[in-house]
Amino acid sequence: MATNGWDQNQVFATSNVMSGTAQENGEDGSNINHKAIEDSFFSFIQSFMLGNSYFYRDQLVANIKEKLFKLEVQIDHLISFDFNLAQNLQDYPTEYLEAFEAAVVRSAVKLDRSLAADGLEDDAFPLGNRMPSFQVELKSTTTMQEIRHLNAGAISKLVKITGIIVAASTLSSKATRLHLRCKSCGFTKQLPVGQGLTGVQLPRSCDNPNKEANAERCPIDPFAVDHDRSRFVDQQTLKLQELHDKVPEGDVPKHLLLSADRCLVNQVVPGTRATVIGIYSTFQSGSSRGGAGLATRTPYIRIVGLVSDMEGLNRGVTNFDDNEVAEMEALARRPDLYQLICKSIAPAIYGNTEMKKAIACLLFGGSTKRLPDGIRLRGDINVLMMGDPSTAKSQLLKFTEHVAPISVYTSGKGSSAAGLTACVVRDPGTREFYLEGGAMVLADGGVVCIDEFDKMRDEDRVAIHEAMEQQTISIAKAGITTMLNSRTSVLAAANPVHGRYDDMRSPGDNIDFQTTILSRFDLIFIMRDVHDHLRDTTIARHVIGIHLNRANETEPIDDELDLKSLKRYIAYAKSRCAPRLSPEAAEALAGHFVGLRREVHQKELEASVRSAIPITIRQLEAIVRISESLAKMTLSPVATVSHVDEAIRLFKSSTMEAINRDEIGNNAGHGGRADLLEQMARVEREIRSRLPIGSQVTLRTLRDTLVGEGLHINAIERAISVMARQEVIQFRDSRRSIYRSGL
């Protein structure tokens, strides 16, 4: 048969799915006893008891009252009732589900008192006559299969997979029974249509049984579809991508098409993690030439059971046995747990202690709150690392990606606004638009690691403003207006404007980010590559030890958690604990915040310029989130004053330290940044006046002359470096001479 829609103008081949009885009676399944199968399911619905109640009879009555024409069935219950029936349902689901749904209708008719009062027998109500057709939704506790392991042996079988929904089409109407009318003689007939992404071919000739023998034959292709008398159901096409932790390193995630109908439509949106039970089927896609294309078909899954995590409450790993719970609780009682977790963050990277503590807070996160007026306050923590090259920023990002239960790693240069948020894609088959989620949608409930954050275009950075604070992504494209969830933390790494952090410039000139994006980061770290002999020696020994594969450098030691244990503990803490501030901690935090605002305001008055890194109410909420994350590390339900003190200390060592970098050079022999800039301006004027364009002088002579006039050597070196970058002067003779080349 040829199909409409997905199989348009293609030959469609259907197979007779055989049950155990069919196998006994013949390979073609022609002798299958549909009535016996339906009776078995009818008996299961009517007689299965759980405790002291008829579980499915009661569920059916409740659904009829609420006009929910479905029945949720646990396969485990069916196994305990009749193992062979359950096995055949899993091996040959197409035939058995049809009989199951017919049995549900029979049960509904029997239970409906209004129909029973008419004195009609059950058999007088075939499927869809008076009682609406019911949908059977299956649930199972069996082990899930991976998308990449599904092969031809699973076709026409019941499978259970999990993944993340990356695209969802708009609703369409799928015909289940077509009403055909002959355009020549007026003969009508009903033509059933298979479910899923299958279609049907109209009969090529009229088979009117009441036509006289000598009457003129109807022409070829006489039938037209009467859509008003046909039956339709809602249908939606989804795209499922395998979870990030299931993808082998170096491979790309696999995708699979899903077909949902009736009660299963509009259950998920892009970014939702879902567990799917369905029939692994195939359909003909694209054009085929010759007979080869007829035998090559595209797989998809027709959904018969769907469990989604719309609220993000069960993100990541949440299955913990009693032994694991006991280990987690014992670990939470350790007095040095905070230091233990920080040591376990990227142990191969030397130093960066404060940065590792910030990453630990980001991984655990604060507590999400929903106010009575519907406003949602995020609990996820955003961290920005800004610093010199070779300060292990990217390595910290990669470690965070590996240890976070849910994570997506991306680079700013290769990321667009649509790639980070969501894009609208046109389906090549139906020509309809549908949404496909980006990195921040796929990482819903986890962490997005964005490297080379400064290489992003400004318009792309602006696109994630809403996602970072409101944690939603609003879409209004191609007639699609919707809102997606992006409840994720952002860990970003960036380089200063000129590659290295320049002390001659203010933090605003070095960072070159808009205040709107900086205020959305809870913690901002300036990571410097400082030249220090003792520190350089220690780092060199540490790196050489790692490259020599020493046991004490490559294997976890006693005071560190291995990657798997840390990942499990993070997932356990996030799923079981949501701390709140104690009244004492809240009072202490309010006093600290007022003091921080006063300190920043005083510095702005002294410098006569607004700070590039603002201290706003968002920063107060940031300290609240950090305090809650510190409490969550120890599974404490309340964030105390000690947690607030550590959060304030961490905030001062990061964001406040970045603000205070306006005051530089105090150890260089001059008063501060203002004096330094003034002397640099004098040096520049002297060089321009003493060195005409096209002339050259040795660097030593110029330096000695300017020092003799009372200018500081530090200001001279910095001014010469700035003029060289501006191409006013050039270095020659291996940097021993200076040549004046421009204005």
Side-chain angles (χ1 to χ4, degrees), residues 242-289:
E242 62 180 335
L243 296 178
H244 177 73
D245 55 351
K246 302 296 184 182
V247 181
E249 187 173 355
D251 205 343
V252 296
K254 301 296 183 183
H255 297 81
L256 190 63
L257 281 178
L258 309 178
S259 174
D261 55 18
R262 294 179 283 180
C263 298
L264 293 172
V265 299
N266 283 344
Q267 297 294 315
V268 292
V269 296
T272 304
R273 279 166 171 75
T275 300
V276 175
I277 299 177
I279 304 173
Y280 192 55
S281 309
T282 61
F283 73 98
Q284 186 71 43
S285 64
S287 61
S288 60
R289 297 180 178 179

Side-chain angles (χ1 to χ4, degrees), residues 148-163:
R148 61 179 54 245
H149 292 162
L150 291 177
N151 51 32
I155 292 179
S156 299
K157 299 290 194 302
L158 205 64
V159 297
K160 179 182 178 182
I161 60 174
T162 186

Side-chain angles (χ1 to χ4, degrees), residues 290-325:
L294 302 180
T296 304
R297 302 174 64 80
T298 303
Y300 78 100
I301 287 183
R302 174 190 154 201
I303 302 177
V304 296
L306 180 64
V307 178
S308 62
D309 180 21
M310 293 292 291
E311 293 299 325
L313 300 177
N314 301 314
R315 299 289 176 174
V317 184
T318 55
N319 299 322
F320 303 96
D321 54 34
D322 295 338
N323 293 333
E324 283 185 312
V325 171

Side-chain angles (χ1 to χ4, degrees), residues 463-480:
I464 66 174
H465 282 189
E466 179 191 359
M468 291 183 64
E469 188 61 36
Q470 282 73 38
Q471 297 198 310
T472 57
I473 294 174
S474 301
I475 300 295
K477 301 177 182 178
I480 299 176

